[in-house]
Amino acid sequence: NLNRFFAFGIIIGALWSLLLDPSSLKESTRFTLGNESGQNVLGIACAFSLTVFVSVILRRGFSFTDLLMGVLLLSIGLMTGSRSFVLGAAIGVIVAAIGAISKISFKVFARLILGLLLVLIFGYIVISNIPYILNYLTVAIERIVNPKNGDISNMRFDIWQQYIEVFEANPLFLLFG
């Protein structure tokens, strides 16, 4: 419960900072709680709280509130752009995971490693193909935003309307083609 209060304080402080001073993201796009506060302080606090959350979740399971607070802490920590956050959170989560893994059977451990390996392979494939994925998404969005001939259906509505008119005039076409 103490970690929930700590995390809640971080989240409320971040939201309060955004409400009072939307420019708290600054020109460098690194989130901070205020002009006198450094980004690393907030990042380290998020990393500490996130590490405690992960260790608690691995010990007793998680609730929706824990998951939501963890995601918010992760988001705030990443918005700080702090290398200290990334390093602290990574080390903390690895240590907590090692502690939890040491108490499970080999079969479950092997499944976890296989799942992690699959996630890493999938992540590598996605990251190595980002230019292609972005190009594909850009083309798809462009087709929706700026359709050919100004018609998103590419004139198919007109064709279907003509088909319907023919079938209404002579329903035997529907049966015999």
Side-chain angles (χ1 to χ4, degrees), residues 82-161:
S82 170
R83 290 185 298 262
S84 300
F85 165 74
V86 174
L87 185 63
I91 290 172
V93 168
I94 288 170
V95 168
I98 287 172
I101 288 173
S102 65
K103 298 174 184 167
I104 61 175
S105 69
F106 179 76
K107 189 175 182 179
V108 173
F109 176 73
R111 287 182 183 164
L112 284 174
I113 295 298
L114 180 63
L116 179 62
L117 186 62
L118 291 174
V119 166
L120 289 175
I121 290 171
F122 180 73
Y124 174 76
I125 291 170
V126 168
I127 289 172
S128 64
N129 292 311
I130 279 184
Y132 303 111
I133 293 170
L134 288 177
N135 186 38
Y136 178 78
L137 288 174
T138 302
V139 169
I141 291 170
E142 185 67 26
R143 288 188 64 197
I144 293 170
V145 174
N146 295 321
K148 194 188 313 181
N149 300 329
D151 182 12
I152 197 164
S153 72
N154 202 17
M155 307 305 279
R156 288 187 182 94
F157 290 142
D158 293 336
I159 294 170
W160 277 102
Q161 185 164 354

Side-chain angles (χ1 to χ4, degrees), residues 19-140:
L19 287 174
L20 292 180
D21 183 18
S23 67
S24 59
L25 287 171
K26 295 187 178 176
E27 292 84 26
S28 66
T29 67
R30 290 186 66 189
F31 183 63
T32 182
L33 289 178
N35 292 335
E36 305 301 319
S37 173
Q39 297 91 352
N40 291 336
V41 173
L42 180 58
I44 291 169
C46 286
F48 173 74
S49 188
L50 191 63
T51 300
V52 174
F53 260 109
V54 169
S55 64
V56 167
I57 286 170
L58 289 174
R59 258 189 263 123
R60 67 168 171 82
F62 66 91
S63 66
F64 177 74
T65 306
D66 292 337
L67 184 64
L68 180 64
M69 288 183 118
V71 168
L72 287 173
L73 286 170
L74 180 66
S75 301
I76 293 168
L78 290 173
M79 283 173 38
T80 64
S82 170
R83 290 185 298 262
S84 300
F85 165 74
V86 174
L87 185 63
I91 290 172
V93 168
I94 288 170
V95 168
I98 287 172
I101 288 173
S102 65
K103 298 174 184 167
I104 61 175
S105 69
F106 179 76
K107 189 175 182 179
V108 173
F109 176 73
R111 287 182 183 164
L112 284 174
I113 295 298
L114 180 63
L116 179 62
L117 186 62
L118 291 174
V119 166
L120 289 175
I121 290 171
F122 180 73
Y124 174 76
I125 291 170
V126 168
I127 289 172
S128 64
N129 292 311
I130 279 184
Y132 303 111
I133 293 170
L134 288 177
N135 186 38
Y136 178 78
L137 288 174
T138 302
V139 169

